[in-house]
Amino acid sequence: MLASLDEQARAILAKNDRGGFTIPTARLYPFQWNWDSVFIALGLATMDDDRAWRELEMLTEGQAHDGMIPSIIFRKDDADYFPGPNVWQTRNGAIKGTGISQPPVLASTVAHFVKAQGDNGLERAKALFPKMLEWHRWWHDYRTPEGVGVVCTVHPWETGRDNCPDWKIGLLNMEIDPNLEAYQRKDIEHADPAERPSQEEYDKYISIVKFGRDNGWDQRLLTEKGPFLMADPGIFFILLRADRDLLWLAQKLGADEAEAEIAAWIKHAEAGVDYFWNDELGAFCARDVRSGVFSDGFSNASALCFYADVGSAEQRRKTLAHMSRISTKTQYGQSSWDPDAPLFESQRYWCGPLWCQMNYMIAQGLREQGEAEFAEKMRQDLRKVIELSGFYECFDPISGAGCIGRDFSWTAALWLAWAGPSSVQSSAA
Ligand code: GLC
């Protein structure tokens, strides 16, 4: 008999377990990834709280001395992956990692666990608290350039939305390093090149890595003088929510000395919300910091204003109007890029596909902000697309076809924690 989807999801998480941490999928992504692990922990918690905490603890083992938690933790090298530890050459942590970070969803999941588990969770949260505090401080300090006032990013990979058309302006404004060494991509050996970033984009991604490496991963220098500097509504909204959750944790844990600092970050971020508002488009958009130019499309990160609980009534209304329009163009959930925008491609990674973790966060925000019906539709859409195609990395939002990696951990985890009929959310709905 065919295993049920719940059983398949559990089997994927077990198969991708590497001893206390979970890889996103074998071969294509053979290490621990930062935000992947945080969503994976939500799925693990449906089976085993202890293992879920372990996932998060192992993620923080990769923290660098300056406080950054890298996008990838390289416990050992893997010839199947490029760019691996020999390309990044970081030397500023107990374990090697990349020289960039990823969206800081950690504190929000820790707060969620504490709420769900009560005192049992509190001890584990207490040990993680100083590490999360340092990491948030790193964003507010090292990734907030002089005179800009909002948190920024130095690399499209740091946003987790790797080849989204949002980064087009920032990439256009930079050169490929003329001394870039020859290298061999691995991603196009494991996945269809038509679904992956172009060669020119890739050369630019690696040029930024070279800049960081040539400058000893001096993060302040990378932010101030690096080749790429954009502000991402995804990182901004996720960090703002995570700061609020961190403040809640500080209060819960009696970490009084941290409260004023976190409250100041929140206040500062709230004052920066309009930096992202593209009036012409009527949406929160990515922005090239040095030229001030806005990205010209509605992305799934634009929809995270609800998750961060920000935006005026008018801004929220306009955001919802875009989302409703997008829903009429897709069959399944919110696409990563606007189907009406010129660079939309339904199967190319962040140029169109539906991503489960983004839909989860968007829907969570909508539900909290009085849009429960819309949120529930997104949840049902994810359920349907997984029933149709299985546990892929992402999905064509129009046909529902699965794209890129198979047996994908965060898809399996969010099925168990959110989209599937046996999830807690289902019993609450
Ligand atoms: C891709 C995605 C990124 C994810 C990683 C591992 O690089 O763009 O968001 O963390 O794969 O799944």
Side-chain angles (χ1 to χ4, degrees), residues 24 29 33 35-36 102 160-162 349-350 355 357 393 408 410:
Y29 305 121
W33 254 260
W35 71 334
D36 291 65
Q102 251 190 344
R161 304 188 292 123
D162 303 18
Y349 218 38
W350 290 91
W355 290 78
Q357 84 289 11
E393 178 169 2
F408 219 79
W410 64 19

Side-chain angles (χ1 to χ4, degrees), residues 86-365:
N86 296 335
V87 179
W88 292 90
Q89 293 176 20
T90 54
R91 282 184 202 85
N92 55 353
I95 308 176
K96 289 200 166 118
T98 57
I100 55 171
S101 199
Q102 251 190 344
V105 274
L106 177 62
S108 297
T109 290
V110 170
H112 175 77
F113 283 175
V114 170
K115 285 174 194 163
Q117 298 168 14
D119 286 348
N120 291 343
L122 219 50
E123 272 309 299
R124 306 288 280 261
K126 195 170 184 178
L128 286 177
F129 182 81
K131 300 179 181 197
M132 295 189 290
L133 183 68
E134 262 188 65
W135 186 27
H136 286 212
R137 190 180 288 140
W138 177 87
W139 282 107
H140 291 289
D141 183 353
Y142 290 89
R143 279 291 183 267
T144 306
E146 279 288 316
V148 175
V150 296
V151 66
C152 294
T153 184
V154 300
H155 198 304
W157 291 345
E158 191 164 70
T159 69
R161 304 188 292 123
D162 303 18
N163 70 328
C164 181
D166 267 343
W167 318 128
K168 191 183 55 181
I169 343 157
L171 291 172
L172 265 178
N173 287 347
M174 69 168 276
E175 304 284 329
I176 295 171
D177 188 313
N179 300 318
L180 199 65
E181 310 76 9
Y183 64 93
Q184 203 176 358
R185 286 173 70 170
K186 294 281 179 186
D187 60 319
I188 42 182
E189 289 175 17
H190 305 312
D192 182 350
E195 296 178 3
R196 298 287 306 180
S198 73
Q199 191 54 43
E200 188 190 336
E201 277 172 336
Y202 222 85
D203 282 347
K204 291 194 170 173
Y205 299 153
I206 301 301
S207 296
I208 308 173
V209 174
K210 181 168 158 37
F211 180 95
R213 186 181 64 210
D214 290 350
N215 290 290
W217 294 106
D218 174 338
Q219 295 290 348
R220 204 175 307 279
L221 184 85
L222 182 57
T223 304
E224 297 292 347
K225 302 258 184 303
F228 180 96
L229 186 67
M230 287 193 71
D232 168 27
I235 289 177
F236 178 78
F237 290 141
I238 288 170
L239 179 62
L240 175 49
R241 185 191 180 103
D243 278 338
R244 296 192 208 280
D245 288 326
L246 195 66
L247 181 60
W248 180 84
L249 282 165
Q251 285 156 353
K252 192 90 192 148
L253 292 164
D256 304 350
E257 65 297 340
E259 282 181 31
E261 183 181 10
I262 304 170
W265 293 335
I266 295 171
K267 207 162 157 229
H268 189 76
E270 283 170 348
V273 171
D274 283 341
Y275 181 84
F276 293 88
W277 185 252
N278 178 346
D279 213 23
E280 208 174 307
L281 197 74
F284 292 108
C285 286
R287 205 166 169 186
D288 182 61
V289 174
R290 293 180 182 130
S291 65
V293 176
F294 278 109
S295 170
D296 56 3
F298 189 92
S299 75
N300 48 8
S302 307
L304 287 175
C305 58
F306 298 98
Y307 180 76
D309 188 12
V310 290
S312 65
E314 173 80 350
Q315 287 169 331
R316 291 179 185 213
R317 194 183 54 71
K318 289 188 168 165
T319 301
L320 265 181
H322 281 294
M323 294 170 69
S324 305
R325 176 180 52 76
I326 289 170
S327 295
T328 65
K329 302 281 161 105
T330 61
Q331 281 295 319
Y332 303 99
Q334 287 293 303
S335 50
S336 45
W337 190 243
D338 188 338
D340 287 328
L343 294 175
F344 176 80
E345 287 181 74
S346 66
Q347 301 205 351
R348 194 187 274 272
Y349 218 38
W350 290 91
C351 302
L354 150 79
W355 290 78
C356 63
Q357 84 289 11
M358 296 298 289
N359 277 251
Y360 166 75
M361 290 185 288
I362 297 168
Q364 198 180 341

Side-chain angles (χ1 to χ4, degrees), residues 26-37:
R27 303 202 63 215
L28 185 60
Y29 305 121
F31 309 104
Q32 183 173 24
W33 254 260
N34 187 324
W35 71 334
D36 291 65
S37 269

